[in-house]
Amino acid sequence: MTITDLTTGQDPSTDQASSPGERAVGTVVVAGVGGVIGRHVAIEHARLGHRVIGLSRRAPSDLPDGVEHRAVDLADPDRGALADVGDVTHLVFGAYVEAGPPAELVAPNVALLRGALDVAQAGGHLEHVTLYQGGKAYGAHLGGFKTPAKEDDPRLLAPNFYYAQEDVLRERGARDGFAVTMLRPEAVLGYATGNPMNLLMAVAVYGTLCAAVGVPLAFPGSRAAYEALYQSTDAELLARATVWAGRSPNADGQVFNVTNGDQYRWANLWPLLAEDFGVDVGHPLTAPLVDTMSDKEPVWQRLVERHGLRPTPWADLVQWPFADFIWNSGFDNVSSTVKLRQAGFGDCLDSEQRYLDLLARLRADRVIPPRGATA
């Protein structure tokens, strides 16, 4: 399927010659290359012929083709870790550490950003940094918030590591002469090994297990969440937006919401998912998945062995508390993407169709079993 950029009329999946004023891309460093965002950004830059260096503490088991890896602990980095790389022009920061309550997330995640900057700036030619934020910038983790959320909405009083990272990045950019862009996705859909905070994988594993044991696909959350508006960001679309932001002067110093450009209700998507998994639709049932899935590892292992699936550890497949939070958030989650489109990036996707496309890809890649699989 070809996606056309609504602003330029061009296919954004192919590398176009730089327009006047666009910055050239030399070597790109992706911090957090093992995550779903970092992985897809690395793939996109490598596909476009850029040199890509992926940073993480351990090399991913399926490092994308064309991507070099350097084992770096960003909390305590060796500033000379990229001494043989040459000029690094772009840093994409997708690293994250889970450290407890919101106030305790600030210091360690700011430290990761500082470490990545130190490593990327060692060559002295850094031109652009992309930082990812998300719905927490608007208070999506606290309850209902103003919708559609816009990039100039005021900050919240509650502690938030996004704010602290942005302040550090703007200060360093102003001091050292590189441009910065903050991108705010929501519910990123994609696949990366060992990256369990991923709604796509929650849908995939939950639906697979319902089908394998022969029970209806009941929405495992609140009826309010079932009926509320929600939105997603495809990981490939976000990667294309990242490439655009790294090149375009229209993105310099800006914050942009990045979603697929539409919204959906689980009430409308759920029957499509049930049909895709070959099961009946169940009624919404507030049954925490952390409890429901507590004894399902043996079932999953039988599926892996019987159907030759990728042997991903159960703990690395899905973070069930994350899925429980999303499917019990009974309020609209909508962000405006007008600013992004006006700045020059108009890529969009049909989210409902994208779920089905990505589930088909997971089956083809043997991440989940084929339709009709039993345990």
Side-chain angles (χ1 to χ4, degrees), residues 187-199:
V188 177
L189 302 181
Y191 173 72
T193 301
N195 186 258
M197 199 165 69
N198 184 334
L199 196 57

PDB file of all heavy atoms in Angstrom, residues 187-199:
ATOM      1  N   ALA A 187       0.144   5.733  21.974  1.00  0.00           N
ATOM      2  CA  ALA A 187      -0.069   4.298  21.739  1.00  0.00           C
ATOM      3  C   ALA A 187       0.625   3.836  20.468  1.00  0.00           C
ATOM      4  O   ALA A 187      -0.010   3.495  19.471  1.00  0.00           O
ATOM      5  CB  ALA A 187      -1.560   3.974  21.677  1.00  0.00           C
ATOM      6  N   VAL A 188       1.946   3.809  20.501  1.00  0.00           N
ATOM      7  CA  VAL A 188       2.719   3.444  19.316  1.00  0.00           C
ATOM      8  C   VAL A 188       2.488   1.974  18.970  1.00  0.00           C
ATOM      9  O   VAL A 188       2.620   1.093  19.821  1.00  0.00           O
ATOM     10  CB  VAL A 188       4.217   3.712  19.544  1.00  0.00           C
ATOM     11  CG1 VAL A 188       5.023   3.267  18.332  1.00  0.00           C
ATOM     12  CG2 VAL A 188       4.445   5.198  19.817  1.00  0.00           C
ATOM     13  N   LEU A 189       2.151   1.719  17.704  1.00  0.00           N
ATOM     14  CA  LEU A 189       1.866   0.365  17.222  1.00  0.00           C
ATOM     15  C   LEU A 189       3.019  -0.106  16.353  1.00  0.00           C
ATOM     16  O   LEU A 189       3.334   0.488  15.319  1.00  0.00           O
ATOM     17  CB  LEU A 189       0.576   0.340  16.399  1.00  0.00           C
ATOM     18  CG  LEU A 189      -0.695   0.837  17.093  1.00  0.00           C
ATOM     19  CD1 LEU A 189      -1.878   0.717  16.133  1.00  0.00           C
ATOM     20  CD2 LEU A 189      -0.967   0.062  18.372  1.00  0.00           C
ATOM     21  N   GLY A 190       3.662  -1.172  16.774  1.00  0.00           N
ATOM     22  CA  GLY A 190       4.759  -1.744  16.021  1.00  0.00           C
ATOM     23  C   GLY A 190       5.266  -2.955  16.781  1.00  0.00           C
ATOM     24  O   GLY A 190       4.694  -3.354  17.785  1.00  0.00           O
ATOM     25  N   TYR A 191       6.356  -3.535  16.296  1.00  0.00           N
ATOM     26  CA  TYR A 191       6.887  -4.711  16.962  1.00  0.00           C
ATOM     27  C   TYR A 191       8.377  -4.538  17.199  1.00  0.00           C
ATOM     28  O   TYR A 191       9.115  -4.099  16.317  1.00  0.00           O
ATOM     29  CB  TYR A 191       6.662  -5.982  16.148  1.00  0.00           C
ATOM     30  CG  TYR A 191       7.363  -7.190  16.751  1.00  0.00           C
ATOM     31  CD1 TYR A 191       6.871  -7.760  17.918  1.00  0.00           C
ATOM     32  CD2 TYR A 191       8.522  -7.700  16.188  1.00  0.00           C
ATOM     33  CE1 TYR A 191       7.519  -8.844  18.508  1.00  0.00           C
ATOM     34  CE2 TYR A 191       9.174  -8.783  16.763  1.00  0.00           C
ATOM     35  CZ  TYR A 191       8.667  -9.347  17.925  1.00  0.00           C
ATOM     36  OH  TYR A 191       9.313 -10.406  18.506  1.00  0.00           O
ATOM     37  N   ALA A 192       8.808  -4.867  18.397  1.00  0.00           N
ATOM     38  CA  ALA A 192      10.241  -4.934  18.717  1.00  0.00           C
ATOM     39  C   ALA A 192      10.404  -5.987  19.798  1.00  0.00           C
ATOM     40  O   ALA A 192       9.620  -6.038  20.751  1.00  0.00           O
ATOM     41  CB  ALA A 192      10.760  -3.583  19.203  1.00  0.00           C
ATOM     42  N   THR A 193      11.396  -6.852  19.638  1.00  0.00           N
ATOM     43  CA  THR A 193      11.631  -7.923  20.603  1.00  0.00           C
ATOM     44  C   THR A 193      11.942  -7.357  21.978  1.00  0.00           C
ATOM     45  O   THR A 193      12.766  -6.453  22.113  1.00  0.00           O
ATOM     46  CB  THR A 193      12.804  -8.794  20.143  1.00  0.00           C
ATOM     47  OG1 THR A 193      12.496  -9.331  18.857  1.00  0.00           O
ATOM     48  CG2 THR A 193      13.036  -9.933  21.114  1.00  0.00           C
ATOM     49  N   GLY A 194      11.272  -7.862  22.985  1.00  0.00           N
ATOM     50  CA  GLY A 194      11.560  -7.441  24.348  1.00  0.00           C
ATOM     51  C   GLY A 194      11.092  -6.042  24.675  1.00  0.00           C
ATOM     52  O   GLY A 194      11.609  -5.418  25.591  1.00  0.00           O
ATOM     53  N   ASN A 195      10.099  -5.546  23.945  1.00  0.00           N
ATOM     54  CA  ASN A 195       9.561  -4.221  24.227  1.00  0.00           C
ATOM     55  C   ASN A 195       8.084  -4.382  24.567  1.00  0.00           C
ATOM     56  O   ASN A 195       7.220  -4.236  23.709  1.00  0.00           O
ATOM     57  CB  ASN A 195       9.740  -3.295  23.019  1.00  0.00           C
ATOM     58  CG  ASN A 195       9.335  -1.869  23.319  1.00  0.00           C
ATOM     59  OD1 ASN A 195       8.270  -1.421  22.946  1.00  0.00           O
ATOM     60  ND2 ASN A 195      10.200  -1.145  24.015  1.00  0.00           N
ATOM     61  N   PRO A 196       7.771  -4.735  25.817  1.00  0.00           N
ATOM     62  CA  PRO A 196       6.421  -5.163  26.149  1.00  0.00           C
ATOM     63  C   PRO A 196       5.396  -4.044  26.307  1.00  0.00           C
ATOM     64  O   PRO A 196       4.205  -4.327  26.358  1.00  0.00           O
ATOM     65  CB  PRO A 196       6.607  -5.912  27.468  1.00  0.00           C
ATOM     66  CG  PRO A 196       7.797  -5.268  28.098  1.00  0.00           C
ATOM     67  CD  PRO A 196       8.696  -4.898  26.952  1.00  0.00           C
ATOM     68  N   MET A 197       5.816  -2.770  26.417  1.00  0.00           N
ATOM     69  CA  MET A 197       4.843  -1.685  26.576  1.00  0.00           C
ATOM     70  C   MET A 197       4.350  -1.255  25.200  1.00  0.00           C
ATOM     71  O   MET A 197       4.684  -0.193  24.683  1.00  0.00           O
ATOM     72  CB  MET A 197       5.466  -0.504  27.337  1.00  0.00           C
ATOM     73  CG  MET A 197       4.427   0.429  27.930  1.00  0.00           C
ATOM     74  SD  MET A 197       5.095   1.550  29.174  1.00  0.00           S
ATOM     75  CE  MET A 197       6.127   2.620  28.191  1.00  0.00           C
ATOM     76  N   ASN A 198       3.530  -2.121  24.609  1.00  0.00           N
ATOM     77  CA  ASN A 198       3.168  -1.997  23.209  1.00  0.00           C
ATOM     78  C   ASN A 198       1.742  -2.518  23.048  1.00  0.00           C
ATOM     79  O   ASN A 198       1.480  -3.708  23.246  1.00  0.00           O
ATOM     80  CB  ASN A 198       4.155  -2.820  22.365  1.00  0.00           C
ATOM     81  CG  ASN A 198       3.938  -2.682  20.883  1.00  0.00           C
ATOM     82  OD1 ASN A 198       2.835  -2.392  20.421  1.00  0.00           O
ATOM     83  ND2 ASN A 198       4.990  -2.905  20.128  1.00  0.00           N
ATOM     84  N   LEU A 199       0.828  -1.635  22.701  1.00  0.00           N
ATOM     85  CA  LEU A 199      -0.580  -2.012  22.637  1.00  0.00           C
ATOM     86  C   LEU A 199      -0.857  -3.029  21.538  1.00  0.00           C
ATOM     87  O   LEU A 199      -1.750  -3.868  21.675  1.00  0.00           O
ATOM     88  CB  LEU A 199      -1.434  -0.752  22.435  1.00  0.00           C
ATOM     89  CG  LEU A 199      -2.926  -0.880  22.718  1.00  0.00           C
ATOM     90  CD1 LEU A 199      -3.181  -1.369  24.136  1.00  0.00           C
ATOM     91  CD2 LEU A 199      -3.612   0.463  22.485  1.00  0.00           C
TER      92      LEU A 199
END
